Amino acid sequence: MELRDYVRVLRRSWMLMVACMVLGGLLAATTTWRTTKEYAASVTMVVSSPDNAEGAASAYQGSLLSQQRVKSYANLVASERVAASVIDRLHLKTTPEMLRGQISAQAVPDTVLLRATVRDRVPRRAQSIADAVGESFSLAVAQIEAPTDDEPPSVRVSVWERAKLPVTPISPQPTRNLALGVLLGLIAGIAAALVRFRLDTSISGEEDARESTDLPNLAMIAYDADAVRRPLIINARPHSARAEAFRQLRTNLQFVDVDAGPRSILVSSSVPGEGKTTTICNLAISLAQGGARVCLIDGDLRRPSFGEYLGVESAAGLTSVLIGAADLDDVLQPWGEGRVGEGRVEVL
């Protein structure tokens, strides 16, 4: 397939893609509506090294020590020890493993700040747990970093900013979810359009007809809504696109085989109602207008329709000749005298 083929498939399947986008948006909206809201509260802690303790390094070394500790402490904030301490402090009805899944921590780059975030369905509870995490972690670090019970810790963690009460949920995010749902729906619609095109064996255009038959296309008769009321081109505008299409078909038929042009032309279709009668009648008129003598034969023995289209008598015709009830010259009816130029049309 070339790029224009893909464009043609997408233009033909725009309704399918729009339906998939709407469906994706509805699914995203439903999922967002049914998802439980979550709130996040953050507590900020500062890691410092006392510069007045006995045996303490210089201020610069203490700063480097604090920055190094911050990176390690970020992995210890959500430890089981801290989670158990928070549960005891707040009397929570949960387990340390479940609480650890609600806590996350990160070190602020190039600083000695440590930020711990707690997610919970209740805003007030998220705030309380975040404050408890900061206090519990500060005590745990003091116990770990103290050389002895009588000496102060070499590194100290203290709460710099307590958690604030969250007012806006961080999850779900309606705008992001709807945009993602519409985008996924568009991708699904494009994929469905391409799959349907690959599986479609119907002939819906000039290119399809040429590829299916491996034969050149003689003419393309475009659909005309006015053809229902005026099916014959002799009643339409002579310079209309429909009349020009039948003249093109007449010309191409005459040059299919220049040395021995076709003298008998059969028009058929796979199912009723596809325009056999309209096509053959207009082709006969076009040939007659070009000066040809045309015998128009209706071979539909079950539901003949030439009489309705051309206004001729249909009581006797092809069947009468086949069974010997009439001679051919007796049932041939001239049509279009004075309206088809120098040609002639006779209807059977």
Side-chain angles (χ1 to χ4, degrees):
M1 291 179 59
E2 299 180 358
L3 179 60
R4 63 178 181 178
D5 296 325
Y6 286 104
V7 174
R8 179 166 58 93
V9 171
L10 296 181
R11 290 183 58 183
R12 186 189 304 174
S13 305
W14 68 269
M15 295 185 64
L16 175 62
M17 291 188 293
V18 171
C20 290
M21 293 171 61
V22 172
L23 180 60
L26 291 176
L27 290 177
T30 302
T31 304
T32 302
W33 178 70
R34 298 186 61 180
T35 302
T36 304
K37 295 181 180 179
E38 279 192 340
Y39 297 83
S42 299
V43 59
T44 302
M45 296 169 283
V46 60
V47 180
S48 60
S49 176
D51 56 0
N52 56 356
E54 183 179 355
S58 63
Y60 178 72
Q61 292 176 339
S63 177
L64 292 179
L65 179 63
S66 299
Q67 292 184 12
Q68 293 174 356
R69 287 289 197 273
V70 167
K71 299 178 182 179
S72 301
Y73 290 162
N75 299 324
L76 299 177
V77 173
S79 62
E80 186 174 355
R81 178 176 179 176
V82 175
S85 176
V86 171
I87 292 174
D88 294 338
R89 182 186 294 267
L90 300 179
H91 306 288
L92 300 177
K93 295 181 179 179
T94 184
T95 62
E97 290 77 9
M98 295 181 62
L99 183 59
R100 291 179 61 186
Q102 299 177 237
I103 304 173
S104 61
Q106 60 178 356
V108 181
D110 300 328
T111 67
V112 293
L113 298 180
L114 185 64
R115 183 174 294 114
T117 304
V118 176
R119 301 164 60 102
D120 196 272
R121 292 178 295 178
V122 182
R124 182 70 64 180
R125 189 165 59 194
Q127 181 188 26
S128 301
I129 295 176
D131 288 335
V133 167
E135 296 172 1
S136 300
F137 185 69
S138 300
L139 294 175
V141 171
Q143 295 174 0
I144 296 173
E145 297 291 350
T148 62
D149 294 339
D150 298 334
E151 296 181 7
S154 59
V155 177
R156 183 173 56 224
V157 176
S158 56
V159 176
W160 179 260
E161 184 178 1
R162 299 180 65 86
K164 298 179 181 179
L165 181 65
V167 295
T168 303
I170 62 171
S171 177
Q173 300 180 9
T175 303
R176 184 196 65 180
N177 293 347
L178 286 176
L180 184 60
V182 172
L183 178 61
L184 292 178
L186 176 61
I187 295 175
I190 294 175
L194 294 178
V195 170
R196 188 178 70 170
F197 172 76
R198 288 295 186 182
L199 300 179
D200 186 14
T201 58
S202 62
I203 298 177
S204 56
E206 183 178 357
E207 294 295 332
D208 295 338
R210 182 181 293 110
E211 292 177 1
S212 300
T213 61
D214 197 23
L215 295 172
N217 196 38
L218 297 179
M220 176 70 74
I221 310 299
Y223 173 77
D224 186 4
D226 195 45
V228 178
R229 295 186 297 106
R230 295 186 298 177
L232 303 182
I233 60 173
I234 198 170
N235 297 324
R237 298 186 303 272
H239 300 292
S240 64
R242 184 175 176 82
E244 181 62 28
F246 281 107
R247 284 194 291 267
Q248 178 184 355
L249 176 60
R250 173 196 65 190
T251 303
N252 289 338
L253 280 173
Q254 291 174 338
F255 286 95
V256 166
D257 189 350
V258 179
D259 296 331
R263 302 188 59 83
S264 299
I265 302 171
L266 173 66
V267 177
S268 185
S269 67
S270 57
V271 295
E274 290 192 337
K276 294 184 295 294
T277 303
T278 304
T279 300
I280 194 63
C281 288
N282 285 307
L283 178 59
I285 294 173
S286 299
L287 289 169
Q289 289 175 342
R293 295 183 58 189
V294 184
C295 178
L296 191 57
I297 304 174
D298 191 348
D300 191 343
L301 304 183
R302 298 180 58 190
R303 288 174 299 198
S305 52
F306 279 6
E308 178 183 354
Y309 275 70
L310 301 175
V312 297
E313 180 61 42
S314 57
L318 177 61
T319 307
S320 304
V321 176
L322 293 178
I323 64 176
D327 293 333
L328 179 60
D329 294 336
D330 297 333
V331 293
L332 279 177
Q333 303 180 58
W335 182 89
E337 293 290 343
R339 293 186 294 176
V340 292
E342 299 180 357
R344 182 177 181 180
V345 176
E346 292 182 306
V347 183
L348 180 60

